[in-house]
Amino acid sequence: MQEDQPAIFAVVDPLCSRYANTLTGQFVSGSKIALSAFRPITSNTRDAPTESAGKDDVLIHMLQPEFVFDDPILRSLVAEANSTFVALQELKKRGSKAEYMKISRTYRSIIRACLEKLQDAIASAEEAEDADAQAKYQQYISIFYSIECVWHLSEILFLDPTPSNAVVPQLLDWIRFHFPASERMATDLLLLGREASDNDDYWPALKGLILQGQVDVARALLHLHPQAETPHFKLTDQILKTMPTYSMHGATSIQKFRSLWQYWLTDTERKISANILAIEPNLEELIQLVTGDTQMWNTQIQETEYWYEFFPGYLFYTNNACKHFELGNAANTWLSRWARLKGHNSNELQMKQLDRVILSLMENDMHQVIHAIQLMADNQWFVTHLTDLLYNAGQLQIAGENQVNECIKLRDSLLYDFGSSLMTRNSLWQLGMDYLDHCGQEGQAALALLLTKIPFRTEKQALKIICIAQKKGFFEAEQDICKIQSKKSLDEQRYGNALEWAIRSKDTLYVTTIADFLLNHYSKTGDMLCPDVIANIGAKMFISPRLVFLVKYFDFYQFYRKRDFLPAAELLVNLLESKITPEYFWPSLLIDSIPLLESKDPKILSKETCAILQHLETELVPLIDKKKKRLEKYPDEPINILKDYRIENIEEIINLLRLACARNLSRAIIIENTVMG
Amino acid sequence: MVSLINTVDTGHEDMIHNAVLDYYGLHLATCSSDGSVKVFDVKNGNQILIADLKGHQGPVWQVAWAHPKFGNLLASCSYDRKVIVWKEGAANEWTKFYEYNNHDSSVNSVAFAPAEYGLILACGSSDGSISILTCNIEYGVWDSKKISNAHTIGCNAISWCSSTVPEPAFDQRSSTRNTAVKRLASAGCDNCVKIWREDADRWVEENRLEGHSDWVRDVAWAPSIGLARSQIASASQDRHVIIWNSTDFTTWSSTILHTFDDVVWSVSWSMTGNILAVTGGDNKVTLWKENNENQWMCINDDAAATNAQTNEQRTL
């Protein structure tokens, strides 16, 4: 765990320190910071190369908060914890105690599984003689071991209060779990049966069990001794057997328990002082521990490494009915005793962070706990999940003695930070979303922003993000992504794609721009780009009049190519009448009518022919005049919008059209009149 | 807690003045006293130079990326009084898209407006004026407006107000954002931070934030993430960073973040606006975070150039 001080990070860049340069740093993207050498520009800066020009390397240092979850083992921890987090949110703060306990245990088993995987990883790193990996995994183990230990204690103290508020039995469970050595020894010895007492571990195991308050196991072990039937052993067993215990469920009143205890204690102490067990020093030692003998415990304390190692055991024999609210005082008394005996001056007692967090937990100082666990090097994984769990279970409000509002703020801001940090990491963004989803309006806004910032390479990825944006109702984010895709496709000259994405973005202007591009391209080259896409636009064309024109013109183009002249002629006439023809497309559209007009058997009736002629005179001719005038005014300006790939000279088009109209008109009138006649 | 992910050797021949990552954080643009702008591909911690843009005849002060929906566009501003917008056509082929020549002195700052407003670029110059350049995307034509005499002696920095205004939930699909009022903040040599608002087709001074006693060197509008308030950080040569807060754009309250040991040159916000990075003449970059009680805390002395030479320099 990190010590509680600002982290200082240094980079080596000679340029930063030469010639009175300094360092500058700016956020560039997400949580990245770019650092580089800096020279302020002031009013008397000369416009000349600096002294360092061309000499030193000009560097940019990219910094990023360390992120442990890039490691595959820890990544799976985040992923598994995420689903538990989601399950917890689904309880909507209305879950039962049992449900919250289950969630808490699930979190802990995820941590445990992760620790086991880390152990394996260390073993394989050892085999591979990879010292770096070994050190890395060792560090992770120490981080997550601390987390497991603190989580377990928090669970006991805040999520699983007993009806009587007594904490000792649970504390014993906790310490047994985290210091399993004696229990392991005992298990091995029990398997040995009658030979157990010959083993070197026999008496240390017994003592260890007693120190952890595991009286029943200790008795079982005692029974294995060959002399178990001797009076001394029988007496010891009797003392242990008759020791009163305070029921977690509060079945006996505390006064009654205390008097029972006092009676038993006086009786046992009397036996010891009568030296009844003096002949068996091992047994006497055990019983002295059980009676809370100061001298005896002091000797044991000196053997310990952690202040809390024997604390629950001691409480078990001296304050069996200790309640949660008394724990803080008891812990502090014990701690000063421990410090004194270990030779620390209590003023300069250098406690490790884990030691302090455990003390704060026992003191019920949630503020301090949350503050301290934020400093763990786990990218806030622990503090976020624990705070959220306590908040959901309604414990944060009580534990922190805080206003409800403050608790919500605290929990929300933790979720916000954790979620944003996951979302700015490429592969974990989907997990990050769940956290932002549960921390109010700010979370939603950050989610909408960060979602569009996820770099996607393939269309499939883009579609996935869009799908999420749709579900969340982030209309703008969805539009943005579509527009970006469209622009990208356009730059890559994938026009069909660009058009499809533009239509999806529902941006009329954008669609119009691309439709214009396609029409322009056609009129210049006679080549219709992306016919498949245009053919399948269907009703979506109504997003932009220009697109409608493009689709309809395309239909005409298809009929014409299939030599289906009658419907082609009809469509062309409709297009001419439609009033959505873009200016630059008039020449092309009118030229298209020439072959139809010149057909030996008329495809266009006289009335329509007149209409074409009228369009020619009222649309194209004035347009050409306008362009000409403009050309006279600005001779340098390139006028290229009135061009068709088929005919260069616009005057020629007009003449041809007029002639074609006249000829068709004569043919059409003859036929029409004949038929009518 | 912080690690160095990579060091980019820019290959510039002189000091760089700005380095910016694009929207997705995949391309890095840098600009230098050597007059060039460079673009690097920085995917996966590698750096590949993909463009070396030469078009300025003087030190280039700042670069800015446009939103990718407008394509890959990069704006740069220089001592040569020019603002250039560069465009990537086909992959890695950069050309000059637009050049703006209407400032009478060095152009110190360029910033693209939030993409929702369209393709708009603001430029602040030592001639004291601010230009707002708007591109008609359909025709690729640029139109310019100028705020003359925005700051006497000069304008040092520009920052846009993000367009994301919190909206009621039922109003998700409306396009109210497009009609939202455009605002920007500028920092100047007149010791002021000014807030400008677009009103019909003019830009008017909406507010003048006075609190610094020396040149204001940088201003940064915090990204407003779902919050109904606006927050601006300003850095000044008077050794102060001031955080300005407002909920209605009419009254602004100020909090002095910290009095630094030396001049403060720049401020920048993290993407989600929860951390502020401050650079000062004391050779340090510090990071600041506002806690739930609205107090600002230095979360770490993030970086300090520490080597023998620095120490000598610093003790002088």
Side-chain angles (χ1 to χ4, degrees), chain A residues 480-521:
Chain A
D480 270 354
I481 295 167
C482 292
K483 280 188 218 168
I484 292 168
Q485 270 304 83
S486 174
K487 184 74 197 169
K488 234 198 238 171
S489 308
L490 201 58
D491 286 345
E492 290 165 4
Q493 304 183 332
R494 294 157 62 216
Y495 303 107
N497 237 354
L499 184 59
E500 279 179 330
W501 281 110
I503 293 170
R504 256 199 107 142
S505 82
K506 303 193 177 64
D507 184 326
T508 308
L509 195 69
Y510 221 83
V511 174
T512 305
T513 311
I514 295 176
D516 270 338
F517 176 86
L518 296 175
L519 286 167
N520 254 317
H521 185 267

Side-chain angles (χ1 to χ4, degrees), chain A residues 5-196:
Chain A
Q5 62 184 28
I8 292 185
F9 189 86
V11 289
V12 178
D13 187 343
L15 188 56
C16 289
S17 47
R18 257 173 227 171
Y19 318 110
N21 289 343
T22 58
L23 186 70
T24 187
Q26 277 194 306
F27 275 108
V28 282
S29 168
S31 47
K32 282 196 191 104
I33 298 174
L35 295 177
S36 56
F38 178 72
R39 161 90 53 104
I41 305 301
T42 56
S43 47
N44 50 20
T45 306
R46 285 186 308 127
D47 176 31
T50 56
E51 306 86 322
S52 62
K55 288 185 207 149
D56 283 312
D57 288 341
V58 182
L59 305 174
I60 297 170
H61 308 276
M62 290 287 194
L63 297 191
Q64 196 166 30
E66 233 162 73
F67 192 71
V68 293
F69 301 116
D70 284 333
D71 184 272
I73 298 176
L74 299 189
R75 179 185 300 253
S76 68
L77 169 100
V78 176
E80 286 166 38
N82 172 267
S83 50
T84 311
F85 170 83
V86 173
L88 173 60
Q89 309 309 313
E90 278 161 8
L91 295 176
K92 296 194 191 314
K93 299 182 72 189
R94 288 194 296 265
S96 64
K97 182 182 143 187
E99 280 168 314
Y100 290 122
M101 279 302 291
K102 195 174 154 212
I103 297 267
S104 180
R105 291 206 173 113
T106 314
Y107 276 133
R108 281 206 291 125
S109 69
I110 292 168
I111 301 171
R112 176 87 334 222
C114 171
L115 282 169
E116 277 162 20
K117 279 187 242 169
L118 287 170
Q119 290 286 9
D120 294 345
I122 286 191
S124 36
E126 254 166 1
E127 256 170 52
E129 288 178 6
D130 183 348
D132 287 348
Q134 229 176 305
K136 181 178 82 176
Y137 288 124
Q138 199 61 57
Q139 192 210 345
Y140 291 161
I141 286 195
S142 80
I143 295 168
F144 283 93
Y145 171 73
S146 302
I147 290 175
E148 185 190 36
C149 185
V150 175
W151 195 306
H152 192 178
L153 189 58
S154 312
E155 180 185 299
I156 288 170
L157 295 177
F158 300 111
L159 290 176
D160 194 19
T162 56
S164 63
N165 233 341
V167 287
V168 175
Q170 287 164 301
L171 285 181
L172 290 177
D173 284 344
W174 171 68
I175 211 74
R176 211 176 290 160
F177 188 81
H178 294 281
F179 295 92
S182 322
E183 201 168 17
R184 264 187 219 146
M185 278 196 275
T187 316
D188 293 344
L189 291 169
L190 285 170
L191 290 174
L192 289 177
R194 287 282 157 195
E195 280 107 60

Side-chain angles (χ1 to χ4, degrees), chain A residues 7 9-10 17 23 25 27 38 41 47 50 53-54 58 60-62 64 66 409 417 450 452 473 476 510, chain B residues 1 3 5-8 10 13-14 23 69 79 172 217 265 268 274 279 283 289 292 301-304 306 313:
Chain A
F9 189 86
S17 47
L23 186 70
F27 275 108
F38 178 72
I41 305 301
D47 176 31
T50 56
V58 182
I60 297 170
H61 308 276
M62 290 287 194
Q64 196 166 30
E66 233 162 73
K409 258 199 202 165
D417 286 351
L450 293 173
T452 60
E476 303 226 335
Y510 221 83
Chain B
M1 298 255 274
S3 63
I5 28 179
N6 60 329
T7 295
V8 179
T10 60
E13 281 158 29
D14 206 343
Y23 189 79
K69 74 180 178 193
Y79 181 80
Q172 284 279 340
R217 278 304 191 141
W265 299 120
S268 63
N274 44 2
T279 294
N283 216 6
K289 193 175 191 321
N292 288 329
D301 281 340
D302 188 69
T306 48
Q313 289 281 350

Side-chain angles (χ1 to χ4, degrees), chain A residues 115 143 209 281 304 363 370 383 437 464 474 526 539 546 568 599 612 642:
Chain A
L115 282 169
I143 295 168
L209 290 171
T304 59
E363 286 172 336
I370 289 171
V383 70
D437 238 350
K464 187 170 167 190
F474 297 152
R546 193 64 39 88
S599 162
I612 293 174
L642 285 187

Side-chain angles (χ1 to χ4, degrees), chain A residues 306-349:
Chain A
Y306 304 96
W307 74 265
Y308 46 86
E309 201 173 331
F310 292 156
F311 173 58
Y314 183 74
L315 268 189
F316 180 68
Y317 301 115
T318 57
N319 190 358
N320 200 312
C322 180
K323 310 262 171 156
H324 189 173
F325 61 86
E326 300 166 314
L327 192 59
N329 278 337
N332 272 304
T333 316
W334 175 262
L335 180 62
S336 8
R337 179 171 169 190
W338 180 83
R340 184 165 39 79
L341 289 164
K342 293 290 281 184
H344 299 292
N345 183 331
S346 61
N347 291 330
E348 53 189 51
L349 178 60

